[in-house]
Amino acid sequence: MDKLGLIILAGGLSSRMGQPKALLPWVNGESLISHALRKGLEADVDDIIISIGDDDQLGHAIQTHIIDTLSNDEKKKVSIVRDSVERRGPLGGLYSALAVGMSPAYAVMAVDMPFMPMDLYYDWLYQVNHNNWNVIVPTGSRGKPEPMAGIYRPHIVSLLPSILAGKDVSLQHALDTIGHVESIDASDYDWELSNVNHYDDYQWARALAENEFRRVPLISVVASKRKTGKTTVVTRLVAELQRAGFSVGVVKSDKHGFQMDHEGTDTDLSYKAGADAVAIAGPNETAIRIRTKEQSNLYEISQFMPVDIVILETRSQGIAPIIEVTQEGHTEELISDSIDRVAIIEISKLDQDVPGLVRHIQEMMRCLNGRRYC
């Protein structure tokens, strides 16, 4: 089987997210649906079917968004399908898509699995050394099958109407009924198989995606006012992350100017004499002082630091992902965009909030260091 088609399931109600997942912003100007679509197009998939459910208003919004993101040549490869059966969940979407499918088999990708790469489907396909299968389903490290990231043959569509007419329309029940289901060990790919079901999941997944191509990952700590506690949060995060084994850099903006060197030192005298840059290297630390015509870009500075992660402390130049520090009861004064903000820390609840925040950052760093995401 030289090529797979791709079915993107994008018709869910997103009740746990509270808003349509497919249209949520991702990175580089993409949405979750356009991100999934791009992966299929970049993998040279000629037959992409997007299932958009049976909700007219949501379906129209997704359809319009998809059409606006495609070139004329790309439109020839993409079909948009509405559910032919009402309120039957992912199985209804799968049935409606397979019913019009022309490829010998389809990789199925849920729109809320943003780290699922196309090449994994081919890896799993080639692990099955016979042709007597209806479905190939990966199983994660907890032993749980992930049918929304499986490979399906279109001929099973004739077996689905009786299941859709019953009370149990879960994909797992369908697999148990269909038979000839091959299970693939995907225990090393839990992150790729993970769903962004809740807004918190989405924010941290997006934080990982934002840091994917940075030379040095970063996280910003911002506050709407001075003396709110940014530095307290930063120093606490530095200590906790260092205890977890990460080297941490800090970049801080200061609108009022500062004096790093001591009056009368050799480097200070050289700098005052007109040197554009002076540096001093000691046995345990190095300092570089550079003359600039304007305030340096904090992001550019962060990318040259020889550390695992940088914390950027600033009031107005926060770069996603962002942690915003506030005083108790002052959340109405938040200045960061909720899409970019992964956490709000009330300074009075520092001990309560920091452990969970550190766990999220550690998980992000483990994923980044593994470089297994797409």
Side-chain angles (χ1 to χ4, degrees):
M1 196 172 294
D2 294 331
K3 277 199 172 185
L4 293 171
L6 173 64
I7 293 174
I8 302 173
L9 295 176
L13 295 177
S14 306
S15 54
R16 286 174 289 182
M17 182 67 70
Q19 55 187 297
K21 294 179 185 178
L23 300 177
L24 283 172
W26 193 233
V27 297
N28 297 324
E30 293 182 327
S31 62
L32 279 179
I33 184 64
S34 60
H35 174 64
L37 187 55
R38 178 178 58 79
K39 285 189 286 185
L41 292 169
E42 289 185 350
D44 199 25
V45 176
D46 292 327
D47 183 12
I48 302 174
I49 303 173
I50 302 175
S51 168
I52 58 174
D54 57 9
D55 184 289
D56 286 342
Q57 185 174 357
L58 176 58
H60 178 73
I62 294 174
Q63 187 168 342
T64 301
H65 175 73
I66 291 168
I67 291 171
D68 288 344
T69 63
L70 296 176
S71 67
N72 288 331
D73 288 339
E74 290 170 341
K75 288 175 184 176
K76 298 174 184 177
K77 300 181 178 182
V78 179
S79 302
I80 301 172
V81 176
R82 294 200 177 208
D83 287 2
S84 57
V85 289
E86 293 185 4
R87 304 295 182 184
R88 306 315 271 170
L91 184 61
L94 179 63
Y95 168 73
S96 303
L98 288 175
V100 301
M102 301 297 291
S103 294
Y106 283 87
V108 170
M109 181 185 297
V111 75
D112 64 354
M113 287 182 167
F115 298 104
M116 189 67 196
M118 277 300 299
D119 57 4
L120 264 186
Y121 291 103
Y122 283 100
D123 289 346
W124 297 338
L125 180 65
Y126 297 141
Q127 287 181 43
V128 179
N129 55 14
H130 63 84
N131 206 36
N132 187 30
W133 57 269
N134 288 327
V135 185
I136 299 173
V137 176
T139 299
S141 62
R142 298 180 182 178
K144 178 186 174 185
E146 297 289 350
M148 292 183 73
I151 304 172
Y152 293 77
R153 281 198 159 136
H155 65 239
I156 68 168
V157 75
S158 63
L159 305 174
L160 298 181
S162 60
I163 302 172
L164 287 165
K167 292 183 178 180
D168 188 348
V169 293
S170 67
L171 280 175
Q172 188 56 56
H173 174 64
L175 297 184
D176 294 339
T177 305
I178 290 167
H180 294 286
V181 176
E182 289 291 326
S183 178
I184 294 293
D185 179 10
S187 54
D188 290 334
Y189 299 100
D190 281 349
W191 188 255
E192 287 81 352
L193 293 169
S194 63
N195 302 85
V196 288
N197 286 319
H198 302 277
Y199 199 72
D200 182 60
D201 302 327
Y202 159 69
Q203 288 174 304
W204 281 103
R206 195 165 174 270
L208 172 58
E210 290 280 4
N211 276 314
E212 181 179 354
F213 296 109
R214 289 172 178 163
R215 181 181 176 274
V216 184
L218 65 81
I219 193 161
S220 299
V221 176
V222 307
S224 62
K225 298 178 180 179
R226 298 183 65 219
K227 307 298 183 183
T228 304
K230 294 193 306 294
T231 301
T232 301
V233 172
V234 169
T235 53
R236 179 70 176 272
L237 288 176
V238 168
E240 296 287 347
L241 290 171
Q242 285 183 328
R243 269 195 287 270
F246 298 106
S247 59
V248 185
V250 175
V251 176
K252 179 180 173 66
S253 64
D254 191 331
K255 298 291 186 182
H256 304 285
F258 65 94
Q259 179 69 36
M260 186 184 78
D261 216 344
H262 295 296
E263 185 75 24
T265 62
D266 292 345
T267 48
D268 181 57
L269 293 172
S270 298
Y271 194 76
K272 289 178 177 176
D276 291 315
V278 295
I280 183 168
N284 299 310
E285 59 183 349
T286 298
I288 302 175
R289 188 177 176 185
I290 302 172
R291 195 183 306 277
T292 60
K293 294 180 179 179
E294 57 187 26
Q295 185 168 3
S296 297
N297 183 286
L298 302 185
Y299 174 76
E300 292 177 359
I301 294 172
S302 75
Q303 297 305 287
F304 285 98
M305 300 185 83
V307 294
D308 295 324
I309 183 171
V310 168
I311 300 174
L312 193 157
E313 180 185 342
T314 179
R315 279 183 61 191
S316 59
Q317 299 183 48
I319 299 169
I322 293 173
I323 300 165
E324 183 150 358
V325 183
T326 184
Q327 295 180 342
E328 189 172 4
H330 288 261
T331 54
E332 75 281 355
E333 299 176 356
L334 298 176
I335 58 172
S336 56
D337 191 313
S338 61
I339 293 293
D340 296 329
R341 186 173 58 242
V342 293
I344 300 170
I345 299 292
E346 287 191 10
I347 199 65
S348 61
K349 299 178 181 178
L350 191 62
D351 291 337
Q352 173 184 323
D353 294 341
V354 164
L357 178 57
V358 170
R359 283 193 297 272
H360 277 299
I361 297 174
Q362 286 180 272
E363 178 64 21
M364 180 184 73
M365 293 301 296
R366 278 193 292 268
C367 293
L368 288 169
N369 290 338
R371 294 291 175 184
R372 291 202 311 270
Y373 46 90
C374 56

